[in-house]
Coordinates of all heavy atoms in Angstrom, one line a residue:
L1 N -75.7 46.3 34.2 CA -75.3 44.9 34.1 C -75.0 44.4 35.5 O -74.4 45.0 36.3 CB -74.0 44.8 33.3 CG -74.0 44.9 31.8 CD1 -72.6 44.9 31.3 CD2 -74.8 43.8 31.2
P2 N -75.6 43.2 35.8 CA -75.2 42.5 37.1 C -73.7 42.3 37.1 O -73.1 42.1 36.0 CB -76.0 41.2 37.0 CG -77.1 41.5 36.1 CD -76.6 42.4 35.1
V3 N -73.1 42.3 38.3 CA -71.6 42.1 38.4 C -71.2 40.8 37.8 O -70.2 40.7 37.0 CB -71.2 42.2 39.8 CG1 -69.7 42.0 39.9 CG2 -71.5 43.6 40.4
E4 N -72.0 39.7 38.0 CA -71.6 38.4 37.5 C -71.8 38.3 36.0 O -71.3 37.3 35.4 CB -72.4 37.3 38.2 CG -73.9 37.4 38.0 CD -74.6 38.3 39.0 OE1 -73.9 39.1 39.7 OE2 -75.8 38.1 39.2
H5 N -72.5 39.3 35.4 CA -72.7 39.2 34.0 C -71.9 40.3 33.2 O -72.2 40.6 32.1 CB -74.2 39.4 33.6 CG -75.0 38.1 33.9 ND1 -74.8 36.9 33.3 CD2 -76.0 37.9 34.9 CE1 -75.6 36.0 33.8 NE2 -76.3 36.6 34.8
G6 N -70.9 40.8 33.9 CA -69.9 41.6 33.2 C -69.8 43.1 33.6 O -69.1 43.8 32.9
F7 N -70.5 43.5 34.6 CA -70.5 45.0 35.0 C -69.0 45.4 35.1 O -68.2 44.7 35.7 CB -71.2 45.2 36.3 CG -71.1 46.6 36.8 CD1 -72.1 47.5 36.3 CD2 -70.2 47.0 37.7 CE1 -72.0 48.8 36.7 CE2 -70.2 48.4 38.1 CZ -71.1 49.3 37.6
P8 N -68.7 46.6 34.5 CA -69.6 47.6 34.0 C -70.0 47.4 32.5 O -71.0 47.9 32.1 CB -68.8 48.9 34.2 CG -67.4 48.5 34.1 CD -67.3 47.1 34.7
V9 N -69.1 46.7 31.7 CA -69.3 46.6 30.3 C -69.0 45.2 29.8 O -68.0 44.6 30.2 CB -68.5 47.7 29.5 CG1 -68.8 47.6 28.0 CG2 -68.7 49.1 30.1
R10 N -69.8 44.7 28.8 CA -69.6 43.5 28.2 C -70.0 43.6 26.7 O -70.6 44.5 26.3 CB -70.4 42.3 28.9 CG -71.9 42.5 28.6 CD -72.6 41.2 29.0 NE -72.3 40.1 28.2 CZ -72.6 38.8 28.5 NH1 -73.2 38.6 29.7 NH2 -72.3 37.8 27.7
M11 N -69.6 42.5 26.0 CA -69.9 42.4 24.6 C -71.1 41.6 24.4 O -71.3 40.6 25.1 CB -68.8 41.8 23.8 CG -67.6 42.7 23.6 SD -67.8 43.8 22.2 CE -67.5 42.7 20.8
V12 N -72.0 42.0 23.4 CA -73.2 41.2 23.0 C -73.2 41.2 21.5 O -73.3 42.3 20.9 CB -74.5 41.8 23.6 CG1 -75.7 41.1 23.0 CG2 -74.5 41.7 25.1
V13 N -73.1 40.0 20.9 CA -73.1 39.9 19.4 C -74.1 38.9 19.0 O -74.0 37.7 19.3 CB -71.7 39.5 18.9 CG1 -71.7 39.5 17.4 CG2 -70.6 40.5 19.4
P14 N -75.2 39.3 18.3 CA -76.2 38.3 17.9 C -75.6 37.3 16.9 O -74.8 37.7 16.0 CB -77.2 39.2 17.1 CG -77.0 40.6 17.7 CD -75.6 40.7 18.0
G15 N -76.0 36.1 17.1 CA -75.7 35.0 16.1 C -74.4 34.3 16.3 O -74.1 33.3 15.6
L16 N -73.6 34.7 17.4 CA -72.3 34.0 17.7 C -72.4 33.4 19.1 O -72.9 34.1 20.0 CB -71.1 35.0 17.5 CG -70.9 35.7 16.2 CD1 -69.7 36.6 16.2 CD2 -70.8 34.6 15.0
Y17 N -71.8 32.3 19.2 CA -71.7 31.7 20.5 C -70.9 32.6 21.4 O -70.0 33.3 21.0 CB -71.0 30.3 20.5 CG -71.9 29.2 20.0 CD1 -71.6 28.5 18.8 CD2 -73.1 28.8 20.6 CE1 -72.4 27.5 18.3 CE2 -73.9 27.8 20.2 CZ -73.6 27.1 19.0 OH -74.4 26.1 18.5
G18 N -71.1 32.5 22.7 CA -70.5 33.4 23.7 C -69.0 33.3 23.7 O -68.3 34.3 24.0
Y19 N -68.4 32.1 23.4 CA -67.0 31.9 23.6 C -66.2 32.7 22.5 O -65.0 32.8 22.6 CB -66.6 30.4 23.5 CG -66.5 29.8 22.2 CD1 -65.2 29.5 21.6 CD2 -67.6 29.5 21.4 CE1 -65.1 28.9 20.4 CE2 -67.5 28.9 20.2 CZ -66.2 28.6 19.7 OH -66.1 28.0 18.4
V20 N -66.9 33.1 21.4 CA -66.2 33.9 20.4 C -66.7 35.4 20.4 O -66.3 36.1 19.5 CB -66.3 33.3 19.0 CG1 -65.7 31.9 19.0 CG2 -67.8 33.2 18.6
S21 N -67.5 35.8 21.4 CA -68.1 37.1 21.2 C -68.5 37.8 22.5 O -68.3 39.0 22.6 CB -69.4 37.0 20.3 OG -70.4 36.3 21.0
A22 N -69.0 37.1 23.5 CA -69.6 37.7 24.6 C -68.6 38.0 25.8 O -68.8 37.4 26.9 CB -70.8 36.8 25.1
C23 N -67.6 38.8 25.5 CA -66.6 39.1 26.5 C -67.2 39.9 27.6 O -67.6 41.0 27.4 CB -65.4 39.8 25.9 SG -64.0 40.1 26.9
K24 N -67.1 39.3 28.9 CA -67.6 40.1 30.0 C -66.4 40.8 30.7 O -65.2 40.4 30.5 CB -68.2 39.1 31.1 CG -69.5 38.5 30.6 CD -70.2 37.6 31.6 CE -69.6 36.2 31.5 NZ -70.3 35.2 32.3
W25 N -66.7 41.9 31.4 CA -65.7 42.7 32.1 C -64.7 43.2 31.1 O -63.4 43.2 31.3 CB -65.1 41.9 33.2 CG -66.0 41.3 34.1 CD1 -66.9 41.9 35.0 CD2 -66.3 39.9 34.2 NE1 -67.7 40.9 35.6 CE2 -67.3 39.7 35.2 CE3 -65.7 38.7 33.6 CZ2 -67.8 38.4 35.5 CZ3 -66.2 37.5 33.9 CH2 -67.2 37.3 34.9
V26 N -65.1 43.5 29.9 CA -64.2 43.8 28.7 C -63.4 45.1 29.0 O -64.0 46.1 29.4 CB -65.0 43.8 27.4 CG1 -66.0 45.0 27.4 CG2 -64.0 44.0 26.2
T27 N -62.1 45.1 28.7 CA -61.3 46.2 28.8 C -60.5 46.6 27.6 O -59.9 47.6 27.5 CB -60.3 46.1 30.0 OG1 -59.5 44.9 29.7 CG2 -61.0 45.9 31.3

């Protein structure tokens, strides 16, 4: 993952807008 896109780990969920699913830099 690029650092600005959540490195090292992020969430990706098909069908849901990012504000309810795509947590970047998730811990």
Side-chain angles (χ1 to χ4, degrees):
L1 285 174
V3 177
E4 65 272 17
H5 287 295
F7 180 82
V9 183
R10 68 169 294 166
M11 288 275 285
V12 172
V13 184
L16 301 181
Y17 285 119
Y19 84 104
V20 297
S21 66
C23 186
K24 292 182 278 191
W25 313 290
V26 61
T27 59

